[in-house]
Amino acid sequence: MTRSDLKSLPSSRAAVWAGAALVTAAVTAVWVQRRSRGAERAQPPAGRLLDIDGVRLHVVEKGEGSEVVLIHGNMVSERDYEASGLLERLARNHRVIAFDRPGFGHSTRPRDRLWTPAAQAKLIHAALAQLGVKQAVVVGHSMGAMVALVLALDHPGDVHRLVLASGYYYPSARIDALLTAPVALPVLGDVMRYTVTAISARLMLNRLVRAMFAPREVPGNFIPALSREMMVRPIQLRANAEDAAFMVPQTKASSERHHELRMPVAILAGADDKVIDVEAHSARLHRELAGSTLAVVPVAGHMVHHAAPDEVVAAVDGFEMTHLERAKQAA
């Protein structure tokens, strides 16, 4: 072997490793795409698909009576409200309308606009107009609470009552936004969502879900109802990342307008929420909004609507009885 041959070995090895990495990435991307399409076939839309401003928006409707709109949080879809039993409970006395927000479930998320909570609220308002819905009770959980709040601020005449669960209402540092920001970027984010992030999301999913439900156990029907593969699809990973990136600027803008809210507002939170600080957000919002109600559910975490669906139903119907008062009556 000549000296020139020896010098070329490192570059040859680098080329081999680079080629192997590209092949691995390509194989992973194909595998992710197949898993995503398989998940969508295995869990077809439960409702109908509306064409709203270039977006295919999935909506589930059930029941009759006054309208209740359900807006879900991140990682999940409208099936979260089905898994909690809340959709079924409310449908006994109401016409319930549950949306998949853009990029979640079976709703698309085109890249022709920035999908801020305000943009999502605008889309949902247009959908409600198409459905003939006026003066609805709007329920939002987590990121869905941000969307619901903007909907009430921008279209107050169409929101009869606002129910906010486990929401984030004031700007503060969010490490999750920094960590997920690259996933939201075009090109780089696209590569990540089909390769490294696709794998890491699957590895971390159980831990993230446990944190959402802590200190309670994750209900046995939760992940099967929502479908693990639906939750980690590339489009949903992008939606999660973009929503995280828009949280702080949206809360800054919205918090300066809280005083504009005139409809009744019911605020719910889990006392042991590890995702969003109850005192810094839910309790603070309650102090700011005169006439609002606050229910802090004991031994409940971020998924408070799973822990205390009765509290949500009471808030929707306008009852002011607290979780503890009902417990005392039941005893």
Side-chain angles (χ1 to χ4, degrees):
M1 182 175 293
T2 67
R3 183 175 298 180
S4 60
D5 290 334
L6 291 173
K7 289 182 178 180
S8 66
L9 281 178
S11 59
S12 297
R13 288 173 180 170
V16 169
W17 282 110
L22 287 173
V23 170
T24 301
V27 170
T28 302
V30 171
W31 177 77
V32 168
Q33 181 72 351
R34 288 180 176 176
R35 299 283 290 185
S36 298
R37 290 177 177 174
E40 292 169 356
R41 288 193 298 269
Q43 190 184 84
R48 56 173 164 155
L49 300 172
L50 305 178
D51 185 7
I52 306 290
D53 193 20
V55 180
R56 185 189 69 195
L57 192 65
H58 179 225
V59 58
V60 172
E61 299 177 79
K62 191 167 187 178
E64 297 180 354
S66 58
E67 288 92 355
V68 177
V69 176
L70 301 179
I71 307 176
H72 65 82
N74 269 5
M75 287 184 59
V76 297
S77 65
E78 64 80 23
R79 285 182 181 261
D80 178 41
Y81 286 114
E82 295 184 42
S84 67
L86 191 58
L87 192 152
E88 186 71 32
R89 294 277 297 279
L90 289 170
R92 296 172 188 171
N93 300 304
H94 301 278
R95 177 192 177 192
V96 183
I97 300 147
F99 290 100
D100 279 340
R101 292 192 295 109
F104 296 88
H106 292 282
S107 293
T108 59
R109 193 179 180 104
R111 273 190 157 137
D112 59 353
R113 73 205 79 174
L114 296 177
W115 284 108
T116 63
Q120 295 182 46
K122 180 180 179 181
L123 181 75
I124 290 175
H125 180 258
L128 293 175
Q130 183 170 311
L131 294 170
V133 176
K134 297 180 179 180
Q135 283 289 294
V137 176
V138 180
V139 180
H141 171 253
S142 193
M143 175 59 72
M146 292 181 64
V147 176
L149 194 150
V150 180
L151 180 64
L153 287 170
D154 290 348
H155 307 281
D158 294 324
V159 179
H160 172 65
R161 186 175 180 83
L162 192 58
V163 180
L164 305 173
S166 303
Y168 176 81
Y169 311 114
Y170 299 93
S172 60
R174 296 289 303 193
I175 189 64
D176 54 341
L178 293 174
L179 293 175
T180 61
V183 181
L185 297 174
V187 185
L188 173 62
D190 295 333
V191 173
M192 293 178 66
R193 289 183 293 106
Y194 279 89
T195 54
V196 292
T197 307
I199 301 302
S200 63
R202 286 167 170 79
L203 294 175
M204 294 176 61
L205 183 62
N206 287 346
R207 182 184 301 177
L208 291 173
V209 171
R210 285 196 298 269
M212 288 161 56
F213 279 94
R216 301 193 179 208
E217 295 293 324
V218 179
N221 70 323
F222 179 75
I223 289 182
L226 277 85
S227 169
R228 180 184 301 274
E229 286 299 323
M230 288 288 287
M231 295 170 74
V232 296
R233 290 172 305 149
I235 185 175
Q236 202 147 309
L237 294 177
R238 174 167 71 90
N240 284 328
E242 289 178 349
D243 283 358
F246 293 134
M247 284 176 68
V248 174
Q250 182 65 69
T251 50
K252 185 179 186 304
S254 296
S255 62
E256 295 171 354
R257 300 178 59 199
H258 287 166
H259 64 277
E260 298 176 19
L261 295 171
R262 295 290 181 266
M263 71 288 295
V265 179
I267 306 164
L268 297 93
D272 300 300
D273 191 338
K274 304 302 182 186
V275 179
I276 297 177
D277 185 271
V278 176
E279 179 61 29
H281 292 277
S282 294
R284 180 180 173 184
L285 183 64
H286 172 54
R287 290 192 297 269
E288 184 178 356
L289 297 180
S292 65
T293 63
L294 172 65
V296 179
V297 180
V299 198
H302 192 62
M303 304 296 276
V304 66
H305 54 303
H306 283 259
D310 286 346
E311 199 73 60
V312 182
V313 173
V316 166
D317 290 333
F319 300 132
E320 308 305 337
M321 187 181 294
T322 68
H323 178 83
L324 292 177
E325 288 170 344
R326 282 201 299 278
K328 290 177 182 177
Q329 285 194 3

